[in-house]
Amino acid sequence: MDAATAVELLDAQPQVWHHFLGYINSMTLQCALELEIADVIHRHGQPLPLNQLAAAVKIPQAKAPFLSRLMRMLVHLGYFTQVKQQQKPEAEQDVPCYWLAPLSRLLLKENPFNARSLTFCSVHEHLVDPWRQMSAWLRTSNEDGKDTANVFAFAHEGKKVYEVCSEDANFSQLFSEGMAGDSWLFSRALVSKCRDAFEGLSSLVDVGGGTGNTSKVIAEAFPNIHCTVFDLPHVVSGPKQTHPNLDYESGNMFTDDIPHADAVLFKWVLCDWPDEPVLKMLKQCKKALTKNGVKGKVMIADHVLGHESCNDSSSMGTSLILDLLFMSFLEGSLRTEKQWANLFAEAGFTDYKITPVGGLRVLIEVYP
């Protein structure tokens, strides 16, 4: 190897390090949440010096330098900001103080839309351990008699994620709370950013709507819309949201008729499934929307991979990570606009419209 090649490879090495050490970002965030650093600073109400922060999160002062290094990384990641508190003239250096950054709001326990549970769920051994078996799963075929729909089932003796949830109450709670918090945040952005999509509707069916978080937000924002959550019997029979314009109907979206309405909503549902069942659901929707000669629309709150609203390098990288996450424990994927359009056409729909909502998500309105 000549010297020029050695230097070129040495310059490339940090990028490889950045990738194989990427788990440290996740673990740093988990540590910050377990220590409740954001909550402590928020309660203090102003930038908090390092020694006071250490005391507040019950870290011995002897380990304050380690906390300082952790905070340096959290500042770099954008969760906090660092300011300097001027000390007495005889002091050798200023004391670092830490304050909340806009991203910190997603860490606060008091906020119903916080990302705490989703973070703990995402770094849980149930989701992380299967990745250690990804190469083995990819090499497994039907002929081996050990093949599964995803690596999660491969690593959990054939069990799907909902079966593991039923056996592990803590993991199930993290999963449910995480999805509920995300639903709370997204739903409010949806009704604010896409008001025109809801104007003129008198009824809406929220397919796979769970405990009704999204439907309740819609019912509150649009009093003229009657919302029906359509989900499995064990879901709609449990604790759920209430509102005068909100009711629940049990059923299976694959085998039962979807209730007739002006609009059928899928929020983070279709990305969970491969094309064949999604196509079947869309055809079911078309029947529900065109009943009695009235034509409505399907509303899909989801991702469009590579859409112009989120195709910068950072957003695309996060989208590809999400796609692999879905591949690992579900059976679906993130779809490009062309893939969505092909499904709509095959299901008999004639047109669609995409409206960015925020972050990586969009609303797709699909018309018969």
Side-chain angles (χ1 to χ4, degrees), residues 138-197:
L138 286 170
R139 287 173 171 163
T140 303
S141 66
N142 288 325
E143 288 73 23
D144 299 328
K146 299 179 181 179
D147 199 16
T148 57
N150 51 54
V151 71
F152 182 93
F154 184 79
H156 289 89
E157 301 178 337
K159 297 174 184 175
K160 297 182 178 180
V161 65
Y162 68 85
E163 293 174 303
V164 173
C165 282
S166 69
E167 298 173 354
D168 188 332
N170 178 62
F171 180 66
S172 178
Q173 182 177 358
L174 289 175
F175 191 88
S176 298
E177 289 179 352
M179 296 309 297
D182 179 78
S183 180
W184 192 98
L185 178 61
F186 175 76
S187 299
R188 280 157 178 77
L190 178 67
V191 298
S192 173
K193 196 75 175 287
C194 303
R195 291 196 66 86
D196 290 348

Side-chain angles (χ1 to χ4, degrees), residues 2 28-29 43 64 99 110 133 164 206 301 332 335 339:
D2 59 37
T28 300
L29 176 57
R43 286 195 296 269
W99 184 235
E110 69 177 36
Q133 302 184 45
V164 173
D206 185 1
R335 294 178 172 89
Q339 290 172 321

Side-chain angles (χ1 to χ4, degrees), residues 77-190:
L77 293 174
Y79 290 105
F80 301 97
T81 61
Q82 179 177 327
V83 297
K84 290 184 178 180
Q85 183 183 62
Q86 192 70 37
Q87 296 287 64
K88 296 179 181 179
E90 63 270 16
E92 294 184 359
Q93 60 183 8
D94 297 334
V95 175
C97 299
Y98 302 97
W99 184 235
L100 303 177
L103 205 55
S104 307
R105 296 176 62 192
L106 292 171
L107 310 184
L108 296 174
K109 293 173 71 174
E110 69 177 36
N111 287 338
F113 53 80
N114 71 67
R116 295 176 57 86
S117 293
L118 269 184
T119 301
F120 290 136
C121 183
S122 297
V123 299
H124 196 285
E125 60 185 19
H126 288 331
L127 291 184
V128 174
D129 286 353
W131 278 95
R132 297 185 174 92
Q133 302 184 45
M134 179 62 78
S135 59
W137 173 71
L138 286 170
R139 287 173 171 163
T140 303
S141 66
N142 288 325
E143 288 73 23
D144 299 328
K146 299 179 181 179
D147 199 16
T148 57
N150 51 54
V151 71
F152 182 93
F154 184 79
H156 289 89
E157 301 178 337
K159 297 174 184 175
K160 297 182 178 180
V161 65
Y162 68 85
E163 293 174 303
V164 173
C165 282
S166 69
E167 298 173 354
D168 188 332
N170 178 62
F171 180 66
S172 178
Q173 182 177 358
L174 289 175
F175 191 88
S176 298
E177 289 179 352
M179 296 309 297
D182 179 78
S183 180
W184 192 98
L185 178 61
F186 175 76
S187 299
R188 280 157 178 77
L190 178 67

Side-chain angles (χ1 to χ4, degrees), residues 211-222:
T211 58
N213 289 326
T214 298
S215 287
K216 182 178 181 180
V217 171
I218 295 172
E220 289 175 341
F222 301 95

Side-chain angles (χ1 to χ4, degrees), residues 20-309:
F20 69 64
L21 294 175
Y23 70 92
I24 292 178
N25 289 346
S26 303
M27 296 299 103
T28 300
L29 176 57
Q30 179 184 5
C31 181
L33 291 173
E34 289 173 341
L35 294 174
E36 300 184 0
I37 292 173
D39 300 284
V40 167
I41 296 175
H42 179 65
R43 286 195 296 269
H44 187 67
Q46 59 184 357
L48 189 60
L50 176 65
N51 60 340
Q52 293 183 38
L53 176 61
V57 298
K58 298 180 173 59
I59 289 178
Q61 287 301 316
K63 288 188 175 179
F66 300 125
L67 177 61
S68 175
R69 291 160 69 179
L70 182 78
M71 292 304 298
R72 180 171 60 188
M73 183 62 173
L74 290 166
V75 169
H76 173 73
L77 293 174
Y79 290 105
F80 301 97
T81 61
Q82 179 177 327
V83 297
K84 290 184 178 180
Q85 183 183 62
Q86 192 70 37
Q87 296 287 64
K88 296 179 181 179
E90 63 270 16
E92 294 184 359
Q93 60 183 8
D94 297 334
V95 175
C97 299
Y98 302 97
W99 184 235
L100 303 177
L103 205 55
S104 307
R105 296 176 62 192
L106 292 171
L107 310 184
L108 296 174
K109 293 173 71 174
E110 69 177 36
N111 287 338
F113 53 80
N114 71 67
R116 295 176 57 86
S117 293
L118 269 184
T119 301
F120 290 136
C121 183
S122 297
V123 299
H124 196 285
E125 60 185 19
H126 288 331
L127 291 184
V128 174
D129 286 353
W131 278 95
R132 297 185 174 92
Q133 302 184 45
M134 179 62 78
S135 59
W137 173 71
L138 286 170
R139 287 173 171 163
T140 303
S141 66
N142 288 325
E143 288 73 23
D144 299 328
K146 299 179 181 179
D147 199 16
T148 57
N150 51 54
V151 71
F152 182 93
F154 184 79
H156 289 89
E157 301 178 337
K159 297 174 184 175
K160 297 182 178 180
V161 65
Y162 68 85
E163 293 174 303
V164 173
C165 282
S166 69
E167 298 173 354
D168 188 332
N170 178 62
F171 180 66
S172 178
Q173 182 177 358
L174 289 175
F175 191 88
S176 298
E177 289 179 352
M179 296 309 297
D182 179 78
S183 180
W184 192 98
L185 178 61
F186 175 76
S187 299
R188 280 157 178 77
L190 178 67
V191 298
S192 173
K193 196 75 175 287
C194 303
R195 291 196 66 86
D196 290 348
F198 295 93
E199 296 294 346
L201 300 179
S202 61
S203 58
L204 178 145
V205 174
D206 185 1
V207 180
T211 58
N213 289 326
T214 298
S215 287
K216 182 178 181 180
V217 171
I218 295 172
E220 289 175 341
F222 301 95
N224 294 328
I225 301 179
H226 183 87
C227 297
T228 300
V229 172
F230 184 67
D231 214 319
L232 295 170
H234 76 274
V235 176
V236 301
S237 63
K240 50 187 176 286
Q241 299 289 346
T242 59
H243 188 274
N245 285 348
L246 173 60
D247 61 24
Y248 295 80
E249 185 169 331
S250 64
N252 187 310
M253 58 187 169
F254 295 114
T255 59
D256 297 327
D257 289 339
I258 295 174
H260 174 63
D262 294 339
V264 176
L265 173 66
F266 292 97
K267 183 184 71 65
W268 269 54
V269 173
L270 300 186
C271 58
D272 294 351
W273 301 95
D275 287 353
E276 185 176 344
V278 168
L279 184 60
K280 185 174 183 179
M281 278 188 277
L282 288 173
K283 290 179 177 179
Q284 290 275 75
C285 288
K286 195 165 185 294
K287 288 167 52 180
L289 292 171
T290 56
K291 186 176 181 181
N292 299 326
V294 178
K295 291 186 178 182
K297 62 183 176 182
V298 179
M299 302 173 71
I300 302 172
D302 214 303
H303 292 78
V304 175
L305 189 61
H307 188 260
E308 60 185 19
S309 63

